Amino acid sequence: MSTATTTGTSLDDPANGVTAPLSRKPAAPSQITETNTKEINGSAAIDATEQLKRSFRRKYRHIEAIHSETRPSCLSHDATETPSFLGFRNLMVIVLVVGNLRLVIENIQKYGVLICIGCHDFRKHDIQLGLALYFLIPCHLVLAYLIELVAAHHARASRARHARTKSSQDGTTSPTEDMSKKFQRTWKMIWVAHAINVTIALAFTTYVVYYHIHHPLIGTLAEVHAIIVWLKTASYAFTNRDLRHAYLHPVKGELDALPEIYKECPYPENITFSNLTYFWWAPTLVYQPAYPRTDEIRWVFVFKRVGEVICLSVFIWFCSAQYATPVLRNSLDKIASLDVPSIIERLLKLSTISLVIWLAGFFALFQSFLNALAEVTRFGDRSFYDDWWNSEGLGQYWRMWNKPVYQFFRRHVYSPMRSRGYTHKTASFSVFLVSAILHELLVGVPTHNLIGVAFLGMFLQLPLIQITQPLEKRKSSSGKLLGNTIFWVSFTIFGQPFAALMYFYAWQAKYGSVSKALSQNQPPTCPVI
């Protein structure tokens, strides 16, 4: 018996300091047959070599080759694999939480608790007018239905008169010049009727909100409803116009080219009150005779989404009253005296809370509310937004963050203009012009200040899009990173915070402390909070 055995240790024990290679008794030649010769020369030989290397490394610990190949640094441009930044993301989240928690404590120490359920300015007159507008605005949808009902009846009669020629019904021939002129004359009358209808709806609502509804929230809800009905009515008229033309005068092959889903409800069978009512409640601005539908309503899903809307609405109200309002009020004297450094400091301080409020509002509207509405109406297409937070430029952001509006303008403004020979720049200019006007109505009318900030903020996106467009086309990661950075900086610092400051100052100049100070020829001061 060896010494190592008698002492209870072996040469392979790391405690000895030196590890001896494992001894292996060679196999007798009689044990090796011809059938496993290749296995011995193949995998068995490799195993023996690996065993030898491992035993060698265990014995000689100080000679391991640490630097055996050329390798770049992890964050170097020469790195073959991009490292994960999950840890940095977690660090940034922790820093944001800790930093904002400090601001929460500082805010409460400085101003106290500003939340007051009874401290609101919801006047009885405003609530009554808001409810009246809510029920009055859909009446213009009923008028739009009646207009299309008359047009559908006329189309049926016109097709019956031409029923003597089979070609005019199956689309084997093109419409004559007289048929086209007659259709255009009819369409002009229908278009004028629709234009008068929706213009009266939007103009009347705008007038009532601007002159008779004081509270901005109630006015905003009424104006949003009017704009949505205006857009939906326009889509309803334009879509049925094309369907009517395809129904009366189809060119050869056009009937088969209609979207497959439209065959579920072909024109003029889609001109029903129930069809229009569904379109009114459906979470889309683009009219179709039929939509993809789900099989059933998941009420648990609906209640969860409604709960999210309620919780996020309370959160937005809390952040607005407790954090945003003091910052806005403390900015009034800076704006009045044109103290540019202080205004920039206010913008930077407001950017964080405005971004939090905007993100909460985005999730509440596009993820929670629209999904709940889609579930109740069994609306199948829930793609209300894409990953806009990864936008590599402003153009990509506007295409991704609000897809219902983007789809409307692309379908009813951009694409028709392009098909008529207009350039991409001209069509895009028209889209942003109409969108800028609607943004000004949406913000300026409820706040009773049409100062053009929302209009310019939307319209000036065009040059910024032109600047960031080359970055979207670059395939390098640095170009995408730069484009995304420009988007976030322009969006979080110079976009919403500046607009919020301007409209809040205009509101205070008209109704608040600024107007009182100006009437007394005194510099405006921050109200006591």
Side-chain angles (χ1 to χ4, degrees):
M1 184 177 295
S2 64
T3 306
T5 304
T6 56
T7 57
T9 60
S10 65
L11 292 176
D12 289 337
D13 193 338
N16 295 330
V18 176
T19 304
L22 295 176
S23 61
R24 185 183 298 270
K25 184 178 180 180
S30 59
Q31 297 176 350
I32 302 176
T33 63
E34 295 181 357
T35 56
N36 59 6
T37 301
K38 293 183 179 179
E39 181 180 354
I40 294 297
N41 294 333
S43 59
I46 295 176
D47 292 340
T49 303
E50 289 296 327
Q51 288 290 342
L52 182 60
K53 289 182 178 180
R54 290 175 186 174
S55 62
F56 184 83
R57 286 194 294 266
R58 285 197 296 267
K59 182 178 181 180
Y60 302 104
R61 296 291 188 177
H62 302 285
I63 64 172
E64 181 182 358
I66 301 298
H67 308 288
S68 58
E69 59 180 340
T70 58
R71 293 175 296 181
S73 299
C74 183
L75 297 178
S76 175
H77 291 288
D78 299 330
T80 56
E81 296 182 0
T82 303
S84 173
F85 293 98
L86 180 62
F88 278 115
R89 188 195 67 179
N90 296 336
L91 174 63
M92 286 187 289
V93 171
I94 293 173
V95 170
L96 286 174
V97 171
V98 173
N100 284 280
L101 183 61
R102 183 193 65 82
L103 293 177
V104 169
I105 298 174
E106 179 185 353
N107 177 273
I108 295 177
Q109 289 178 340
K110 186 175 182 179
Y111 302 108
V113 178
L114 302 178
I115 303 300
C116 178
I117 299 178
C119 303
H120 59 78
D121 198 17
F122 290 108
R123 304 174 183 179
K124 183 179 180 180
H125 180 70
D126 292 346
I127 297 176
Q128 291 175 345
L129 285 179
L131 291 174
L133 288 176
Y134 178 79
F135 291 104
L136 181 62
I137 291 172
C139 294
H140 294 273
L141 278 175
V142 178
L143 293 178
Y145 161 70
L146 295 177
I147 294 171
E148 287 299 325
L149 189 63
V150 173
H153 178 74
H154 182 271
R156 285 192 181 97
S158 178
R159 180 161 176 168
R161 287 195 299 268
H162 297 285
R164 60 180 181 272
T165 59
K166 184 180 179 181
S167 61
S168 64
Q169 298 180 23
D170 57 13
T172 56
T173 61
S174 300
T176 63
E177 185 177 353
D178 292 338
M179 291 180 179
S180 299
K181 289 182 179 180
K182 184 178 180 180
F183 181 86
Q184 290 298 327
R185 288 195 300 268
T186 305
W187 162 243
K188 286 181 180 179
M189 292 187 292
I190 298 172
W191 180 86
V192 170
H194 278 301
I196 294 175
N197 176 37
V198 295
T199 301
I200 291 176
L202 185 58
F204 179 75
T205 303
T206 301
Y207 173 81
V208 173
V209 171
Y210 191 83
Y211 289 103
H212 299 285
I213 296 181
H214 176 75
H215 201 281
L217 177 60
I218 299 176
T220 299
L221 294 176
E223 194 70 14
V224 167
H225 191 194
I227 291 176
I228 289 176
V229 170
W230 187 82
L231 295 174
K232 288 200 173 195
T233 304
S235 180
Y236 186 68
F238 284 125
T239 304
N240 281 311
R241 182 262 182 197
D242 286 356
L243 292 175
R244 185 165 50 251
H245 190 277
Y247 172 75
L248 289 174
H249 313 298
V251 178
K252 183 177 180 180
E254 283 186 347
L255 294 179
D256 296 331
L258 282 173
E260 190 70 23
I261 195 173
Y262 287 12
K263 295 180 181 179
E264 299 177 8
C265 187
Y267 186 89
E269 296 179 11
N270 65 305
I271 307 300
T272 61
F273 186 73
S274 60
N275 184 276
L276 180 59
T277 302
Y278 180 83
F279 174 54
W280 176 34
W281 285 101
T284 180
L285 299 175
V286 174
Y287 174 72
Q288 292 181 189
Y291 297 94
R293 305 285 296 275
T294 56
D295 296 331
E296 60 181 8
I297 300 176
R298 300 170 296 175
W299 289 108
V300 175
F301 179 87
V302 174
F303 293 144
K304 287 182 179 179
R305 301 291 82 77
V306 172
E308 290 173 355
V309 172
I310 295 174
C311 293
L312 287 172
S313 299
V314 173
F315 174 76
I316 292 172
W317 167 65
F318 175 80
C319 291
S320 301
Q322 183 68 38
Y323 302 105
T325 301
V327 176
L328 290 170
R329 287 181 176 175
N330 292 334
S331 305
L332 295 177
D333 57 339
K334 311 298 181 183
I335 299 175
S337 60
L338 295 179
D339 188 353
V340 177
S342 298
I343 293 175
I344 295 176
E345 187 270 335
R346 294 288 96 182
L347 282 175
L348 294 176
K349 189 172 184 178
L350 186 62
S351 62
T352 301
I353 188 62
S354 66
L355 178 61
V356 171
I357 293 174
W358 188 89
L359 290 176
F362 165 81
F363 194 93
L365 175 61
F366 288 94
Q367 176 61 27
S368 302
F369 177 75
L370 290 185
N371 268 285
L373 186 60
E375 190 67 28
V376 172
T377 57
R378 296 195 296 116
F379 190 82
D381 187 3
R382 312 289 174 87
S383 180
F384 304 121
Y385 60 92
D386 289 328
D387 55 338
W388 54 266
W389 46 89
N390 294 325
S391 298
E392 299 162 8
L394 288 171
Q396 189 177 14
Y397 163 74
W398 290 113
R399 293 190 297 268
M400 297 171 64
W401 93 274
N402 188 346
K403 291 183 70 175
V405 173
Y406 166 73
Q407 290 163 349
F408 174 88
F409 280 104
R410 181 173 180 82
R411 188 191 196 208
H412 298 299
V413 180
Y414 181 84
S415 295
M417 292 187 67
R418 292 287 286 158
S419 64
R420 286 171 172 79
Y422 290 94
T423 62
H424 166 73
K425 291 184 178 180
T426 303
S428 299
F429 177 87
S430 301
V431 168
F432 276 89
L433 177 62
V434 177
S435 181
I437 294 174
L438 294 179
H439 273 77
E440 184 63 29
L441 290 178
L442 186 60
V443 181
V445 171
T447 58
H448 309 160
N449 288 286
L450 296 172
I451 57 179
V453 173
F455 176 86
L456 291 176
M458 188 67 192
F459 197 67
L460 293 179
Q461 296 293 317
L462 282 173
L464 294 177
I465 290 175
Q466 295 297 323
I467 294 174
T468 58
Q469 190 173 18
L471 299 176
E472 295 181 30
K473 299 179 180 179
R474 294 178 61 178
K475 298 182 179 180
S476 62
S477 58
S478 59
K480 296 179 180 180
L481 177 62
L482 180 59
N484 186 256
T485 303
I486 294 175
F487 151 67
W488 277 116
V489 170
S490 63
F491 179 75
T492 58
I493 299 178
F494 300 105
Q496 295 182 14
F498 180 76
L501 278 179
M502 292 299 100
Y503 281 101
F504 186 83
Y505 181 81
W507 175 272
Q508 291 293 330
K510 198 169 187 177
Y511 300 107
S513 59
V514 177
S515 61
K516 296 177 183 178
L518 293 177
S519 62
Q520 299 173 2
N521 294 324
Q522 298 176 357
T525 58
C526 299
V528 179
I529 300 176

